[in-house]
Amino acid sequence: MVHVLYIDDDEGLARLLKRVLAAEDIALSHAVNSRDGLALLRANTYDAIALDHNLISETGLDLIPEILAIEDAPPIIYVTGSEDARVAVSALKAGAVDYVWKDVDGHYRELLAQSVKQAMVQRRHQRESEEQRRAIEAAKERAELLLAEVNHRVANSLALIASLASFQASAVSDEAAKTALAEMKARIIAIAGIHRRLYTSTDVRFVDLDAYLNNLGEELVAVLGNDGQSAIKVFADENIRLPTDRAISLAVIVTELVTNAFKYAYPVDQAGDIRVFLRRVNGSRLSLVVEDDGIGWDGSDKPKRTGLGTRIITAMARGLEGTFHYETGNRGTRATLDFAL
């Protein structure tokens, strides 16, 4: 049984309407004015409201906002005898879901029954859609919490591996092995830093590069430290965010370039800066520059060691679909990566 509240000052029409709707399995409650209608609405549950335009001291248009202000208000079907289409349009704009023209022959009663049924279907669909939306939001929130927990555990695991690399380095005497382990530790820390950012972020899909690169610079100084001889300075545009996988590729490239600068840019007895720039270019691309004022290298000579770092940079740049090169004619070394945002 569908329950409808009918607000109309004509009690005779209300009785006729009640008999017609009963045949359609619709129970009708009647109120002759807005005060009684609002009282019934607050005290009972209705599936729909049929609201007449002409009431005793006001119009139904005046009542629509008060009805909609009630929590979980039922759909409103506006009933008007006016042939002025602006009345119906005003009712729909105010929040009614449908309107019925009250004709003199009384056909509007059957039309009202159809309109009530349509409003019920529409209401059901709206509630189902809302339930689905809430379910999707809840599932998304659970997934984000789980992903944050995964990132937390990955970061902790990577930190443990970095510590093991340090222990291993302290246990070997070969300088090449020590250097290789220190470089591996730096790479692990760069990736672990991404995961730490993710589990403390409100959006685990992206990494804020400004804050991340500044933190990475501090961590690399701690890992690669050369007794305060070199300092890393980061200059990154604000609000640059990359998807996680692309941020990891960029972090690895920065780590390799900074590591090379720490090892080779300055003689043992000379101090100097290593600068990291990340800038927007034409709005849709990014430019990464890592430079120093040291002895200089333009990439044309054979790598001083295994060349693994160069191969890593090349692979990561290819993954970013970027262009990497060393610039010539500069004091020191200047490496540039250009890629799409």
Side-chain angles (χ1 to χ4, degrees):
M1 177 69 73
V2 176
H3 296 273
V4 174
L5 173 61
Y6 181 45
I7 304 177
D8 187 354
D9 58 3
D10 193 321
E11 296 191 49
L13 287 178
R15 285 194 294 269
L16 290 174
L17 183 60
K18 187 173 185 177
R19 286 200 296 268
V20 172
L21 295 185
E24 299 290 339
D25 203 27
I26 299 174
L28 191 74
S29 299
H30 177 231
V32 297
N33 54 52
S34 60
R35 184 187 68 253
D36 293 347
L38 291 172
L40 286 172
L41 183 57
R42 292 189 176 99
N44 303 280
T45 300
Y46 296 98
D47 299 303
I49 296 175
L51 176 61
D52 193 64
H53 177 62
N54 291 309
L55 301 176
I56 295 175
S57 58
E58 59 188 340
T59 70
L61 294 175
D62 300 318
L63 188 56
I64 289 178
E66 295 186 64
I67 294 174
L68 295 179
I70 297 175
E71 184 177 359
D72 199 25
I76 300 170
I77 301 165
Y78 206 69
V79 182
T80 175
S82 173
E83 296 184 359
D84 188 348
R86 290 175 296 181
V87 173
V89 170
S90 296
L92 295 175
K93 286 184 176 180
V97 300
D98 199 0
Y99 73 93
V100 173
W101 179 56
K102 188 190 292 185
D103 62 308
V104 295
D105 297 323
H107 296 304
Y108 79 95
R109 302 182 188 103
E110 288 77 13
L111 293 175
L112 181 59
Q114 296 176 14
S115 185
V116 167
K117 293 177 181 179
Q118 291 174 358
M120 292 298 300
V121 171
Q122 181 181 353
R123 180 78 161 184
R124 184 173 66 253
H125 288 167
Q126 288 176 342
R127 286 178 171 171
E128 290 174 353
S129 297
E130 181 63 22
E131 290 175 359
Q132 291 174 356
R133 186 193 64 78
R134 285 197 295 266
I136 291 171
E137 289 292 330
K140 178 184 175 184
E141 183 176 350
R142 285 195 299 272
E144 289 179 346
L145 289 173
L146 288 173
L147 186 54
E149 178 63 21
V150 168
N151 282 311
H152 189 185
R153 296 189 180 192
V154 169
N156 287 344
S157 297
L158 289 172
L160 176 60
I161 295 172
S163 297
L164 292 175
S166 291
F167 290 141
Q168 187 67 47
S170 65
V172 298
S173 57
D174 184 78
E175 288 301 320
K178 287 181 178 290
T179 299
L181 287 168
E183 293 174 4
M184 181 57 67
K185 180 179 179 181
R187 294 167 187 144
I188 294 169
I189 285 178
I191 299 173
I194 293 285
H195 289 280
R196 276 200 305 275
R197 287 278 163 192
L198 291 176
Y199 75 73
T200 58
S201 172
T202 57
D203 189 346
V204 296
R205 299 171 300 170
F206 297 94
V207 177
D208 183 344
L209 293 180
D210 178 20
Y212 170 71
L213 288 177
N214 276 283
N215 188 70
L216 177 61
E218 296 174 0
E219 291 186 327
L220 290 178
V221 168
V223 174
L224 303 170
N226 55 355
D227 299 326
Q229 186 174 343
S230 295
I232 300 176
K233 297 182 178 180
V234 176
F235 306 91
D237 288 349
E238 295 181 352
N239 301 320
I240 297 180
R241 304 169 75 229
L242 281 184
T244 305
D245 55 342
R246 293 171 66 79
I248 288 176
S249 296
L250 184 68
V252 171
I253 292 173
V254 171
T255 300
E256 295 302 320
L257 293 172
V258 169
T259 300
N260 286 339
F262 257 89
K263 291 190 299 183
Y264 307 122
Y266 299 102
V268 175
D269 58 349
Q270 181 181 339
D273 292 335
I274 300 167
R275 295 177 294 277
V276 179
F277 299 89
L278 185 65
R279 298 283 186 256
R280 290 185 182 85
V281 180
N282 298 327
S284 61
R285 299 191 68 80
L286 294 179
S287 174
L288 170 72
V289 174
V290 178
E291 66 177 19
D292 59 64
D293 301 315
I295 60 176
W297 190 62
D298 60 9
S300 59
D301 299 332
K302 183 178 178 179
K304 295 185 178 181
R305 293 181 60 242
T306 63
L308 176 60
T310 300
R311 294 199 299 273
I312 290 174
I313 292 171
T314 301
M316 294 296 106
R318 188 182 303 116
L320 290 170
E321 299 180 351
T323 303
F324 176 80
H325 65 278
Y326 287 93
E327 297 184 15
T328 59
N330 296 287
R331 178 186 175 187
T333 301
R334 181 181 175 90
T336 300
L337 171 70
D338 178 78
F339 63 102
L341 178 60

